[in-house]
Amino acid sequence: MFNLRSILFVVFSFFFIQNSFSQKEANNWYFGSYAAIDFNSGTPVGLTTSQMSTLEGCASISSASGSLLFYTDGITVWDKTHQIMPNGTGLKGHFNASQSAVVIPKPGSSTIYIIFTVDQIGNANGVMYSELDISLNSGKGDIISSRKNIALVAPASEKITAVQHSNENDFWMLCHKYGSDEIYAYLITSSGVSTTPVISKTGITIPTDNSANTLGYMKASANGNKIAYANGGNLKNVCLADLDATTGKVSNVITYSITNASPYGVEFSPNGDLLYVTYSNKTVRQYDANATSTSEILTSEQIIATDVVALGALQLGPDKKMYIASFSQFLSVIHLPDIKGSACNYEKKFVDLKGNSCSYGLPSFIQSYFSRKTFTVSNNCLNDTTFFTLSSDKDLDSVRWLFDDPGSGQLNTSTSTTNVFHIYRTTGKYTVKLIAHFRNGKSDTTTAGFIIKYIKPNIGKDTSFCGNFSLTLSPERDYLNYLWSTQSTSKTIQATTKGTYILNVTDTNGCTAADTILINNTNSPTTFTVNLDSQCYHQQNFIFYNTSDTIKNSYKWVIDGKSYTNNILTKKDFKDSTYEIFLISTGGCSDTMKKTIIVWPSPVPDFIGDTGCFPFPIQYKNTSTIRKGSIAKYYWSFMSYGNSDVEQPLKTYPVSGYFSTELTAISDKGCTTYKKKDSTALLYPQPKASFTYDTLPSPDPREKILQFINTSSSDVTSYWWNLGNGQTSTIKDPSGKYKDSITYTITLKVSNANGCIDSTSTMVYPNFYLYLPNVFTPGNDLLNDIYKPATIDYVQSYLMQVYNRWGELVFETKNVRGGWDGQLNGQACPEGIYLCVIKAMPYGGSMRIYKTTVTLLR
C-alpha cells in the first residue's frame, strides 16, 4: 500500500497550490521536436523522453512535487510514461497554433484538469476545452469521454493565457475572438468552466482579411495586473492593457509596432514592470510595461538580443529566469528579467536540448505559477502539523503570522521565521496572513487560502499471488461515495485478477482522496506495447516493445508458433491475417500478456490497355484483385493527360502514340497499392483522304471525262472510290464518264497499314461550260452591249482580263456575272481585235485557263 501520509500530502497540497503558487507545476517543459527540460534540480536540464513533435503550441503540467503528469500539443495527450492516453487523441487544437493549449487544474478537485485548446489561423474549432481525470488509466490519466471538445468561442485567434483569480482559488482563461476587438475571459471554479464569458472590447480589431493576423502569443503578468498579446499578418502590432483579476475585465488598451517586423512571443518580467517581445527580424526587445501611451512604450524600447535564427516564444521559468525559443538545439535565457536594459543579462545557448530541437513554441502555463510569493503551505491535514515556509528571508527584520484559527488561542499567532507550523483541529477553509517587516523600514502583507480536510482511506497493503485468487478489497471506514478503478461504486469489491486497484472516496465534508493496492505475481507484471494494432499488407512494420521489468525477469515472445527473445521486436513478414501476440514471463510465477494484431490485405492493381486508331478513345480493362475484403476506390493517372476515378475508364487522348498509365487501388480498410505500366495504350495515326479532279476531252459532246487526282497522306496503302456514276474503283487515280447537267457526289475512303481509315466526299459538276462571243457592239441599243461569258456555273474562283493589241490591260473583273462595256477609264475604246483571258476553277476541280479574241465594232 502506498504511504497514506504521502497521499494526503499530495492531495491537500494540491488545494493549496491553487491558492498560493510556489510549488513545482511548471517544473517540466515539453515542446518543439521531442525537446524537454526539467527544473527540479534548480537548473534546467535537457531530457530525451519526449514523444511529441510540434512546430508551435504545446502545454505541460506537473504535480506539486515536480513530477510530470502529462503534456499535449493541443491534439494528442501523452501521460507521465510518455504513452498516448487511451482517449487522448482528437482534441481540436492544432500544433501549428501559436498557443495550442493551456492546462488549468479544476479548483476543489485533486484529480480533474481542464485542457483548453486553440485551433490554427482562426479555423472553425476555435477555443474548446476537455476535462482530464488523472486518477484514470491506473493513475496515468485519461480524457473523460463525456467532457471532451466542449466548444467555447469560434473563430478565435491563436492566443490564450491563464491567470489566478484575485480570490486565490479560481482562475481566468483569456482568449481573443477572431474578426473582432473582443477579449473573452472565462471563469474556472469548483463548478467547472463558466460558459458565459466576461467580454472586453479593446477597440483594436483583428480582421479576417489575412489569417496570419491571428498569429502571436498572449500573456498575463504573473501578478494578474496586466495582459499583452502580439498580432502578426497585416497588423504587426503589440497590445498592452490592464487586467482586473477580480472581474476578468481588460481595459486601457494601447498598441504599438516597429518598422518592418512582426511580433510573436510576449512575456512580462516576474515583477510585472517590464514587457519582452520577440520579432521576425530576429531581435528580443524590452519595454516599460507601466507605460500609458504608445510614445512612452516606444521611448522605453531596449534591444536586448539579436540572433541569426528565427526567434519564437518567451516563457518565465520556475527559477524566475526568462527563456527564449529559437530554431536550434538550445534555449537562450535572460537571467535577470526584472532589470532594465542590457543588465538583464541575456545569454545565448544556455540550455542544451540533448540533440533535440526547439521551434517557435514553448509550453503555456498558468502565469500565476511564476508570481513572487512570500511563503508556502504544506501538509493540510486535520489534527496534523501544517507547515509554513518563507520563500526568502532576504533583508527580513521580523514577521507576524495570523493562522485564522481563533479557537487555538495564543497559538493562533507566531513570530518565528523558521520551523513555523500550526495544528488545525477543525476542517474547513482557512486564510493565513503573513505580515513581514524589512530592515529598510518597509512592510508587506501576504495571504494564502487553503482547506483542512479529514479523510484517510485504506484498502490494504500491496500483495502478490501465484495462480488463481480472490481478495476482498474494502476501506477501513465508511465514506459518502466510492469509485473504484473497475468503475464499481460499491464499498467492497472482489479482486480476482492481478493489477492495480484504485479507490477514490468522498466524505460528508466533500473531501476526496485515493488509495491504491497493487496485486501482482512474484514477478513484476508482463506488459508490452505495439506501435500499431492493424496495418496493411506489404506496408506493415510492427514493432513490439517489452515494457516489463527485463532486469529482474526474462521473457519470450510467441508469434505464430515461433519464439523470440528480443526486448524490442520488429516484424515485417506477416501475411494478411489476424495474429495473436504473446509475451510470456519465463521466471518465477508465469505471466502472459496477449494482444491481437491484424494485417489487412492490400489490393493487387492490374489492368489491360488497348490499341486503336486516333482519335477514337481507349477502353481500359481493370483487372485488379484483393484476397479478402473489397477495393473501395480507384485512381487512374494518365500521366500528363489527366486522371480518372472510375473503375473501367474510357480515355480519349489528344494525340496519337504510345501512352503510359498508373493505377492506384485503395481497399475498404484504406490499404493502398499502385502499379505503373509503360506503353499500355497505342493510338495509330489516322490517314488523311483528299483528292482533286480535271476535265478531259471526250469524243461524245454529251458527256465529260473526269480524271481524279489522289492527294491523300503519304501513309495511305489502299483506296476505295465511289465515283458517283454507279462505278467504284480501288486504284489510286481513277477516271470516269459523266453526263452534262447532272451533279455527282464522289467519295474516297483510304486506309493505312495499321487499318486506320479516313474518307472524304466532294460534289462535282461536269456541266462546266464557258461560251464567249467573238464579236460585240457596245452602244445603247441593248444588243451585244456587254462582252461576257454566256453561261458559266459552279465556279469556285474566277478572273476575266481583256488586253488591247499592245498588251495593255483594258478590263478586269472577278465577278462571274460581270462583263466589259468597251470602255477604259470612262472613254470608248477604238474598234479592233482584243485578247480575252479567263481563269476559272470549278468546285472540286482544277484551274482552267481560256484564251480567245474578240472584235469590238461600233
Side-chain angles (χ1 to χ4, degrees):
M1 182 184 71
F2 294 107
N3 183 276
L4 181 60
R5 184 181 180 91
S6 298
I7 295 174
L8 291 173
F9 175 83
V10 172
V11 172
F12 293 131
S13 291
F14 178 81
F15 286 100
F16 160 73
I17 292 161
Q18 299 184 54
N19 302 305
S20 179
F21 294 111
S22 32
Q23 302 296 317
K24 302 178 181 180
E25 289 85 349
N27 271 21
N28 292 282
W29 294 13
Y30 283 74
F31 56 94
S33 181
Y34 308 106
I37 56 177
D38 181 351
F39 283 91
N40 281 300
S41 65
T43 301
V45 177
L47 303 175
T48 58
T49 54
S50 176
Q51 298 299 306
M52 176 178 70
S53 180
T54 176
L55 182 63
E56 297 184 76
C58 52
S60 56
I61 193 164
S62 304
S63 69
S65 60
S67 298
L68 175 68
L69 295 178
F70 59 88
Y71 53 97
T72 180
D73 60 0
I75 300 173
T76 303
V77 184
W78 288 265
D79 65 24
K80 61 186 179 183
T81 66
H82 311 289
Q83 301 296 313
I84 296 174
M85 292 183 180
N87 191 31
T89 59
L91 272 63
K92 299 298 185 179
H94 202 283
F95 60 84
N96 273 355
S98 302
Q99 291 173 278
S100 61
V102 68
V103 180
I104 298 177
K106 183 179 180 181
S109 172
S110 60
T111 61
I112 303 299
Y113 291 81
I114 303 171
I115 304 176
F116 292 89
T117 58
V118 186
D119 203 354
Q120 68 165 342
I121 58 173
N123 283 345
N125 291 326
V127 176
M128 295 184 171
Y129 74 92
S130 303
E131 294 188 7
L132 182 149
D133 189 339
I134 202 66
S135 69
L136 299 178
N137 190 25
S138 300
K140 292 182 288 187
D142 201 4
I143 302 294
I144 303 171
S145 297
S146 61
R147 304 293 295 164
K148 187 175 183 180
N149 292 328
I150 301 173
L152 289 177
V153 56
S157 297
E158 294 184 0
K159 49 191 102 276
I160 189 171
T161 192
V163 70
Q164 192 177 37
H165 191 284
S166 61
N167 64 16
E168 298 188 344
N169 187 67
D170 301 327
F171 300 97
W172 294 105
M173 183 280 290
L174 296 98
C175 59
H176 198 295
K177 185 174 183 181
Y178 186 35
S180 78
D181 68 340
E182 297 172 344
I183 292 179
Y184 281 45
Y186 290 89
L187 182 63
I188 298 93
T189 69
S190 58
S191 299
V193 180
S194 172
T195 56
T196 302
V198 175
I199 301 176
S200 301
K201 297 186 72 64
T202 66
I204 302 167
T205 298
I206 299 180
T208 58
D209 60 340
N210 184 347
S211 61
N213 293 341
T214 68
L215 272 60
Y217 268 64
M218 174 185 284
K219 290 291 183 69
S221 60
N223 58 20
N225 295 334
K226 294 280 184 179
I227 188 172
Y229 56 95
N231 300 310
N234 299 331
L235 295 178
K236 295 183 175 63
N237 62 11
V238 177
C239 296
L240 175 66
D242 293 330
L243 172 63
D244 188 333
T246 300
T247 65
K249 293 293 289 185
V250 174
S251 60
N252 301 321
V253 182
I254 53 178
T255 184
Y256 74 93
S257 59
I258 66 172
T259 304
N260 298 327
S262 291
Y264 185 79
V266 296
E267 182 63 291
F268 290 94
S269 59
N271 63 13
D273 291 337
L274 298 174
L275 175 66
Y276 292 81
V277 183
T278 59
Y279 288 92
S280 60
N281 61 3
K282 304 173 184 176
T283 61
V284 182
R285 304 186 184 216
Q286 181 195 82
Y287 301 90
D288 181 1
N290 297 314
T292 59
S293 68
T294 299
S295 60
E296 283 186 30
I297 293 177
L298 293 175
T299 300
S300 71
E301 180 184 80
Q302 301 259 12
I303 298 178
I304 301 303
T306 59
D307 210 324
V308 296
V309 297
L311 302 177
L314 295 161
Q315 180 60 55
L316 284 177
D319 54 1
K320 300 302 186 290
K321 300 177 188 291
M322 187 178 295
Y323 293 87
I324 305 165
S326 64
F327 272 71
S328 71
Q329 295 180 344
F330 298 87
L331 291 184
S332 300
V333 71
I334 298 173
H335 288 282
L336 301 170
D338 282 335
I339 306 300
K340 291 184 178 180
S342 60
C344 67
N345 192 10
Y346 166 79
E347 181 179 349
K348 188 175 180 180
K349 294 186 177 180
F350 178 67
V351 184
D352 185 352
L353 300 179
K354 305 294 186 184
N356 297 310
S357 60
C358 182
S359 299
Y360 284 110
L362 290 174
S364 295
F365 295 101
I366 299 172
Q367 288 297 100
S368 309
Y369 286 160
F370 312 105
S371 63
R372 294 189 181 276
K373 293 298 181 179
T374 308
F375 66 95
T376 62
V377 185
S378 60
N379 202 26
N380 313 45
C381 302
L382 185 67
N383 297 322
D384 204 346
T385 304
T386 300
F387 295 97
F388 303 87
T389 305
L390 287 170
S391 300
S392 173
D393 60 357
K394 183 179 180 181
D395 299 325
L396 194 64
D397 181 57
S398 64
V399 298
R400 178 176 173 80
W401 300 88
L402 301 175
F403 296 123
D404 192 23
D405 187 15
S408 62
Q410 294 181 348
L411 297 177
N412 191 36
T413 63
S414 174
T415 58
S416 299
T417 58
T418 60
N419 195 30
V420 183
F421 64 91
H422 187 76
I423 299 175
Y424 290 88
R425 305 296 183 184
T426 306
T427 60
K429 182 176 181 180
Y430 294 84
T431 300
V432 171
K433 181 181 294 185
L434 170 63
I435 303 171
H437 299 278
F438 299 90
R439 286 191 285 271
N440 60 7
K442 294 184 178 181
S443 62
D444 188 24
T445 300
T446 306
T447 61
F450 56 94
I451 299 172
I452 296 293
K453 297 186 177 182
Y454 179 79
I455 185 167
K456 294 183 178 180
N458 184 355
I459 56 176
K461 297 180 179 180
D462 295 346
T463 187
S464 299
F465 294 93
C466 280
N468 297 328
F469 67 92
S470 179
L471 179 64
T472 301
L473 299 179
S474 182
E476 295 175 341
R477 52 165 292 206
D478 293 333
Y479 296 91
L480 181 63
N481 294 313
Y482 308 88
L483 178 60
W484 293 86
S485 53
T486 62
Q487 303 305 310
S488 172
T489 55
S490 300
K491 179 181 178 181
T492 301
I493 65 169
Q494 291 296 124
T496 57
T497 59
K498 66 180 185 299
T500 300
Y501 292 83
I502 303 172
L503 172 62
N504 287 275
V505 298
T506 305
D507 67 6
T508 54
N509 295 316
C511 300
T512 61
D515 191 22
T516 301
I517 183 172
L518 178 63
I519 304 174
N520 207 346
N521 57 26
T522 54
N523 290 331
S524 57
T526 299
T527 59
F528 72 91
T529 61
V530 60
N531 58 330
L532 291 170
D533 290 333
S534 62
Q535 299 188 58
C536 295
Y537 182 54
H538 285 322
Q539 301 168 12
Q540 79 271 19
N541 184 14
F542 289 95
I543 306 175
F544 303 99
Y545 302 90
N546 184 349
T547 54
S548 311
D549 188 345
T550 57
I551 297 177
K552 295 181 179 179
N553 301 293
S554 57
Y555 298 87
K556 70 174 181 179
W557 304 90
V558 177
I559 303 174
D560 206 20
K562 296 180 180 179
S563 297
Y564 309 87
T565 57
N566 315 54
N567 285 327
I568 301 177
L569 179 63
T570 299
K571 292 283 288 179
K572 299 181 180 180
D573 56 350
F574 289 120
K575 302 298 182 182
D576 52 291
S577 185
T578 299
Y579 296 86
E580 289 185 337
I581 312 300
F582 297 91
L583 179 61
I584 303 172
S585 169
T586 57
C589 290
S590 176
D591 188 30
T592 301
M593 184 177 186
K594 181 183 78 170
K595 286 181 180 283
T596 301
I597 64 168
I598 300 174
V599 181
W600 302 113
S602 293
V604 181
D606 203 358
F607 57 93
I608 300 172
D610 201 356
T611 300
C613 294
F614 180 81
F616 299 103
I618 293 292
Q619 176 67 65
Y620 284 89
K621 183 179 180 181
N622 190 335
T623 59
S624 303
T625 59
I626 188 169
R627 199 181 70 81
K628 185 168 57 179
S630 62
I631 301 178
K633 296 180 182 178
Y634 296 96
Y635 182 82
W636 298 80
S637 173
F638 305 110
M639 315 316 287
S640 58
Y641 296 104
N643 307 303
S644 175
D645 58 2
V646 301
E647 184 175 352
Q648 310 282 353
L650 185 66
K651 176 61 181 176
T652 299
Y653 289 95
V655 294
S656 61
Y658 287 93
F659 303 94
S660 298
T661 310
E662 183 177 284
L663 172 60
T664 300
I666 305 173
S667 76
D668 55 347
K669 300 298 183 181
C671 300
T672 301
T673 316
Y674 76 94
K675 184 171 187 177
K676 181 181 178 181
K677 287 186 177 182
D678 294 326
S679 303
T680 51
L682 172 61
L683 285 177
Y684 293 112
Q686 186 182 39
K688 179 63 178 178
S690 65
F691 67 91
T692 62
Y693 66 90
D694 282 332
T695 303
L696 302 180
S698 173
D700 186 347
R702 294 171 299 175
E703 64 181 13
K704 298 289 184 180
I705 297 176
L706 297 184
Q707 176 65 56
F708 297 99
I709 304 166
N710 199 318
T711 58
S712 301
S713 57
S714 60
D715 61 335
V716 171
T717 57
S718 64
Y719 310 88
W720 183 87
W721 294 85
N722 184 340
L723 299 178
N725 58 0
Q727 295 179 331
T728 61
S729 175
T730 57
I731 66 174
K732 181 179 180 182
D733 301 310
S735 62
K737 295 181 179 181
Y738 299 88
K739 296 187 179 298
D740 289 342
S741 304
I742 297 177
T743 301
Y744 298 87
T745 298
I746 311 301
T747 298
L748 169 61
K749 183 183 294 185
V750 299
S751 64
N752 59 19
N754 299 314
C756 299
I757 298 171
D758 188 32
S759 64
T760 184
S761 296
T762 299
M763 295 179 66
V764 298
Y765 310 94
N767 55 341
F768 178 77
Y769 299 105
L770 189 65
Y771 296 109
L772 287 166
N774 58 6
V775 176
F776 83 113
T777 56
N780 297 320
D781 57 1
L782 302 179
L783 296 175
N784 298 319
D785 288 341
I786 301 299
Y787 176 65
K788 64 178 181 179
T791 302
I792 185 167
D793 291 307
Y794 310 110
V795 176
Q796 183 176 352
S797 65
Y798 175 82
L799 176 64
M800 174 182 176
Q801 295 173 317
V802 179
Y803 299 87
N804 61 21
R805 62 188 297 179
W806 294 281
E808 295 176 326
L809 180 66
V810 296
F811 176 76
E812 182 179 73
T813 183
K814 293 181 180 181
N815 183 357
V816 72
R817 302 302 180 190
W820 183 36
D821 61 358
Q823 297 187 34
L824 174 63
N825 297 326
Q827 301 295 320
C829 292
E831 291 184 345
I833 298 174
Y834 291 82
L835 173 65
C836 177
V837 179
I838 293 178
K839 298 178 181 180
M841 184 171 71
Y843 286 99
S846 58
M847 181 66 70
R848 318 291 177 85
I849 300 176
Y850 299 90
K851 295 181 180 179
T852 187
T853 59
V854 59
T855 301
L856 186 154
L857 297 177
R858 293 191 181 277

